[in-house]
Amino acid sequence: MNNDGYPDIALAALQNETFPIYQNVSGTSFQEVTARSKMTMLSNPMSGYSVNIDDFDNDGWKDIFVSRGDVASPNMADRVHVDQPNTVFRNLNGTYAALTGEAGFLALPPRRHRGAAVADFNGDESSISSSPR
């Protein structure tokens, strides 16, 4: 996610936890960078599943998509945010910004999402494709 050629790790967790990020250090070890990346503050109120890492805005930096929703029963909705909108975390060169509304997820009713996938259907190495003009 920091464009050094080594694979990094991003995880999802439950509400009042964080979505930890581990940066690969020269292929020899991992360094936890959750707080430094601002993901601690952004993800603490969220529950998430199915982390997808890809360059969603084609700016050369890997972003993070997390499908969201809590594990609690819908009967707990008065105490816990059970249904939640999905979120894209835009990579701003090592720090992240949560783009829930900007990605259009607030236009849909929140749900308990459990999975997601990304694919390059047209083979251009881009997760976002546009129509020819």
Side-chain angles (χ1 to χ4, degrees):
M1 292 182 283
N2 62 343
N3 289 342
D4 66 357
Y6 294 104
D8 301 311
I9 299 171
L11 303 170
L14 298 177
Q15 205 165 291
N16 298 319
E17 298 174 346
T18 63
F19 298 172
I21 297 177
Y22 297 93
Q23 194 171 68
N24 194 316
V25 180
S26 302
T28 61
S29 63
F30 287 90
Q31 177 183 14
E32 196 251 333
V33 295
T34 312
R36 185 174 71 200
S37 70
K38 300 186 179 177
M39 191 60 80
T40 299
M41 176 188 64
L42 295 171
S43 65
N44 187 267
M46 303 175 177
S47 293
Y49 294 86
S50 191
V51 175
N52 289 264
I53 301 170
D54 206 338
D55 184 9
F56 295 109
D57 57 2
N58 293 322
D59 67 353
W61 293 95
K62 301 286 187 195
D63 307 300
I64 301 171
F65 170 87
V66 178
S67 61
R68 292 179 40 210
D70 202 82
V71 297
S73 164
N75 297 332
M76 300 286 291
D78 60 334
R79 290 176 268 172
V80 177
H81 294 289
V82 177
D83 294 338
Q84 298 180 23
N86 296 324
T87 299
V88 171
F89 296 93
R90 183 173 185 209
N91 187 341
L92 304 170
N93 193 8
T95 62
Y96 290 87
L99 303 180
T100 305
E102 295 85 345
F105 296 123
L106 294 180
L108 305 169
R111 301 275 190 237
R112 294 186 309 158
H113 303 100
R114 294 293 183 261
V118 296
D120 179 13
F121 290 110
N122 64 0
D124 69 351
E125 298 182 12
S126 165
S127 61
I128 312 264
S129 61
S130 60
S131 302
R133 294 177 195 236

